[in-house]
Amino acid sequence: MEALGTIGQLSRSVADIGAAEIWWRDVLGVPHLFTYGNLAFFDCGGVRLMLSAEPEGPPQANIIYFRVTDIAAAHAALLERGVSFLRPPHCIHRHADGTEEWMAFFSDNEDRPLALMSQVRTG
């Protein structure tokens, strides 16, 4: 099995995505990567931070995302070890250059969320 890679992303719930994006980008000076719907992504020294505006407002569970190079292989290997996924790996976003963001969500032994993440270059 491919070993889990570095932590690729952390998530944090916010009440107002617009205000949070401005604060993280302009006040803290964290490099803004992109915004998609109610999600804003920032680069925190190589670890991606995802801010998520929740309809009911914060707080929600934080998620640890593990980078993998081959999400299908990592998913299959973890399934064989008894990990239960919410659904198979799926594309959650396509960037302008065609790179796709793929995720697969599962829970730890205490039912807290974890995820695999992979960037897939197409074409």
Side-chain angles (χ1 to χ4, degrees):
M1 174 188 147
E2 174 187 356
L4 294 178
T6 60
I7 292 175
Q9 179 170 291
L10 298 171
S11 70
R12 181 177 181 95
S13 298
V14 298
D16 179 333
I17 196 65
E21 181 181 328
I22 291 167
W23 191 81
W24 282 83
R25 182 190 63 224
D26 299 343
V27 176
L28 289 186
V30 178
H32 177 251
L33 297 172
F34 63 98
T35 297
Y36 181 72
N38 67 340
L39 307 172
F41 297 85
F42 296 85
D43 179 12
C44 298
V47 174
R48 196 163 64 184
L49 170 66
M50 177 185 78
L51 301 180
S52 171
E54 302 294 334
E56 330 272 280
Q60 297 291 321
N62 292 325
I63 303 172
I64 299 172
Y65 296 77
F66 292 96
R67 287 187 198 274
V68 294
T69 54
D70 185 340
I71 196 165
H75 174 257
L78 289 174
L79 280 174
E80 287 178 15
R81 296 169 83 181
V83 172
S84 179
F85 283 82
L86 299 176
R87 68 183 210 182
H90 57 284
C91 179
I92 57 104
H93 178 68
R94 179 172 288 142
H95 295 275
D97 69 357
T99 302
E100 295 179 345
E101 300 279 343
W102 281 71
M103 303 274 174
F105 294 89
F106 59 102
S107 296
D108 69 8
N109 62 308
E110 295 180 359
D111 207 30
R112 292 177 295 192
L114 298 169
L116 300 177
M117 66 179 287
S118 186
Q119 287 191 328
V120 177
R121 308 239 185 249
T122 58

